[in-house]
Amino acid sequence: MALQFDNSYLRDLPWAALRLAPDAAPAPRLLAFNDDLAARLGADPDDLRETAAAWLSGAALPPGADPAALAYAGHQFGGFSPSLGDGRAHLLGEVIAPDGARFDLQLKGSGRTPFSRGGDGKAAVGPMLREYLISEAMAALGAPTTRSLAVVATGEDILRDGRRLPGAVVARIAASHIRVGSFQFFAARGEAERVRALADHAIARHDPDLSGTEGRYLAFFDRVVARQARLIAEWMGLGFIHGVMNTDNMAVSGETIDYGPCAFMEGYAPGTVFSSIDRQGRYAWQNQPLILGWNLARLAEAIYPLFDANPETGVAIANDRLDRIAGQYQAEWLAVMRAKLGLSGQDAGDQALVDDLLAAMPGADWTLTFHRLAEAATGDLSRLRPLFDDFTAMDAWLPRWQARGPDATRMRRANPAVIPRNHRVEEALDAATAGDLAQFTALLAAVRAPFTPDEAYMLPAPAGFGRYVTFCGT
Ligand code: AMP
Ligand code: MG
């Protein structure tokens, strides 16, 4: 069965995108293909695999696709750009799965568009396989995320920092590509009716129970807040650092989107930053909850006129909502940490229990500490202890936690053994760029089963790996 396309974004909001075809890749070759996701979309994986190199690279268009580059704006590192848009991506359309679920299918790295500014519209094999790998890891870890259907090498070299690198396109599936910055684009132009139409479209798509109801725009804002607060709490619990939480990279669906310089923290250090361009540490691990609120304030600025006929009332309502976000996030974070610590029910001391654990943890591997705390729950400290340089604070903390009755079984479901370790990701992508996919394939299999211990993929980077720095891959 072929993919079933619809194009509601272009139908409802024809002024929100520019219709144009992706570049035709000269010699497309499939590097990675997601059978499970193909099946989820209603395709026969073997059939789709046959056509994937052409359809998912821009070399040919699947029947029903109507490619377009979407307009959006965004605050990048705090500064506003009124016109960003898809500068190297083409939305092929929406795939309707057999159960009726609707997914955007987008190509990234598929050529220049009117939004490209100085860029070449292309992407290299390494960063596109990176998006595939990390998004698949996030899905397996249970975090809301866009997913990758395929990566296709284009057969064309591109230039990055004076180096020739093999080019590639990632085919990405998303609940939608509606970003905070999508609303900002029209709000900044004073196009109030377009902001409203976009909001109605987003509601139909993500919160259909609100469609047509009175007060739907405020209710929609509340839903976005809830989804994004949950998402960031999940990230924090996983030690995931997105790296570019610009408003154009925050989806109203609440999915993780735009895997660029993201990476997982190893030794616990709340100020951890990996991205080479984040010199101030704006998007450091510990700042992500603050940026959540900052970005949602930008969404509120774009849509508050929809909250009430009287703009002053709209502002007051928005401010009231924004004042509550920190508390909403805190509740989500506590829920994530209760699960990680195997605690059921709620105890007034839980917040302090979490804070005191973090105070005892600097330097200890984030992922392994929680994984081995599940062993500590049954009294075995032998593998936890070596993770710490100084166990004194833990010796004081453990009895308090044990008195709360942690459930080791629950902890094993909440705390992964395997995450995409930075040194493993780098070696796999380097080999793939040089033409050898064996390490990538093995790493992908490991991160797709994150709760199954696999010692080879659990170790932190060796000391010689040094400080890890990531690049946007543009
Ligand atoms: P990102 O940081 O990847 O989310 O991208 C920010 C903006 O830069 C978006 O408008 C992208 O479409 C655009 N962009 C990134 N890389 C390229 C490229 N190679 N060519 C053209 N536009 C790009
Ligand atoms: Mg982006």
Side-chain angles (χ1 to χ4, degrees):
M1 200 166 63
L3 296 173
Q4 189 66 48
F5 274 97
D6 187 36
N7 300 284
S8 71
Y9 200 78
L10 296 184
R11 193 164 58 240
D12 291 356
L13 316 168
W15 31 263
L18 298 166
R19 297 175 63 220
L20 83 166
D23 285 358
R29 193 167 54 87
L30 199 55
L31 297 182
F33 182 75
N34 195 332
D35 288 88
D36 291 350
L37 195 52
R40 172 70 187 95
L41 297 176
D44 177 327
D46 294 325
D47 284 356
L48 185 56
R49 183 191 287 273
E50 292 294 307
T51 47
W55 282 3
L56 302 179
S57 70
L61 285 180
D66 193 354
L70 275 49
Y72 52 83
H75 278 87
Q76 299 179 301
F77 292 92
F80 187 61
S81 296
S83 183
L84 290 169
D86 289 332
R88 56 163 172 169
H90 295 78
L91 179 66
L92 291 185
E94 299 139 24
V95 175
I96 311 297
D99 65 352
R102 181 180 293 264
F103 299 95
D104 274 10
L105 173 55
Q106 190 211 58
L107 304 184
K108 179 162 150 188
S110 45
R112 286 180 53 80
T113 78
F115 297 111
S116 297
R117 291 163 289 152
D120 62 1
K122 306 287 180 175
V125 162
M128 296 303 97
L129 285 177
R130 193 166 203 284
E131 168 145 352
Y132 189 106
L133 180 79
I134 313 269
S135 62
E136 283 306 292
M138 290 293 270
L141 290 162
T145 179
T146 64
R147 295 191 60 183
S148 302
L149 181 58
V151 175
V152 183
T154 58
E156 176 183 71
D157 281 352
I158 64 167
L159 274 178
R160 289 289 180 273
D161 303 323
R163 285 176 68 202
R164 293 179 77 81
L165 294 171
V169 171
V170 65
R172 165 163 96 182
I173 300 298
S176 85
H177 283 83
I178 305 170
R179 308 147 190 268
V180 169
S182 310
F183 292 93
Q184 291 182 288
F185 183 87
F186 299 104
R189 294 153 62 110
E191 297 178 334
E193 281 317 304
R194 290 182 171 181
V195 174
R196 181 188 299 274
L198 177 60
D200 278 323
H201 178 88
I203 289 168
R205 198 114 185 226
H206 299 299
D207 300 288
D209 58 307
L210 301 177
S211 280
T213 62
E214 187 137 0
R216 62 188 174 278
Y217 303 112
L218 183 58
F220 169 68
F221 181 75
D222 289 341
R223 296 274 181 95
V224 177
V225 170
R227 288 192 284 261
Q228 291 196 354
R230 180 73 200 171
L231 177 70
I232 306 308
E234 297 274 356
W235 288 0
M236 297 298 282
L238 293 168
F240 177 79
I241 302 166
H242 181 281
V244 245
M245 284 178 73
N246 294 332
T247 57
D248 51 306
N249 292 335
M250 298 305 291
V252 298
S253 64
E255 289 182 336
T256 312
I257 194 170
D258 275 1
Y259 290 85
C262 60
F264 288 79
M265 175 165 69
E266 297 210 316
Y268 174 58
T272 301
V273 177
F274 293 114
S275 171
S276 62
I277 57 169
D278 190 0
R279 293 199 185 81
Q280 314 282 325
R282 178 180 172 91
Y283 300 135
W285 179 82
Q286 67 186 355
N287 288 345
Q288 295 183 120
L290 293 172
I291 296 296
L292 160 79
W294 197 91
N295 286 341
L296 288 167
R298 306 290 80 75
L299 178 62
E301 279 169 5
I303 68 172
Y304 81 86
L306 301 174
F307 293 168
D308 195 276
N310 178 340
E312 280 176 31
T313 311
V315 170
I317 293 171
N319 281 329
D320 168 63
R321 290 308 205 271
L322 295 172
D323 285 344
R324 288 194 238 160
I325 291 173
Q328 287 170 271
Y329 169 76
Q330 205 52 38
E332 295 290 356
W333 166 240
L334 200 50
V336 164
M337 290 306 281
R338 280 197 181 106
K340 287 180 81 66
L341 292 175
L343 307 178
S344 47
Q346 302 188 1
D347 187 287
D350 288 348
Q351 182 67 57
L353 199 62
V354 170
D355 293 345
D356 294 345
L357 172 63
L358 296 188
M361 265 187 73
D365 187 85
W366 178 263
T367 303
L368 289 180
T369 296
F370 288 98
H371 190 253
R372 292 181 182 172
L373 273 171
E375 297 163 10
T378 53
D380 177 5
L381 298 182
S382 63
R383 298 203 315 148
L384 178 67
R385 201 178 280 278
L387 299 176
F388 290 75
D389 288 337
D390 179 352
F391 208 65
T392 322
M394 287 301 285
D395 276 326
W397 181 84
L398 284 165
R400 290 168 56 202
W401 169 62
Q402 272 148 348
R404 237 332 232 110
D407 175 344
T409 309
R410 190 160 174 237
M411 291 178 74
R412 283 192 204 94
R413 284 197 300 265
N415 296 300
V418 177
I419 54 160
R421 294 276 174 185
N422 301 326
H423 63 300
R424 287 295 202 172
V425 173
E426 287 306 305
E427 68 188 14
L429 297 183
D430 283 351
T433 299
D436 177 2
L437 285 167
Q439 291 180 71
F440 174 83
T441 306
L443 179 58
L444 180 64
V447 301
R448 276 183 167 156
F451 300 99
T452 306
D454 181 342
E455 295 294 331
Y457 291 97
M458 289 170 68
L459 295 179
F465 186 64
R467 200 177 87 79
Y468 188 48
V469 179
T470 56
F471 302 90
C472 266
T474 51

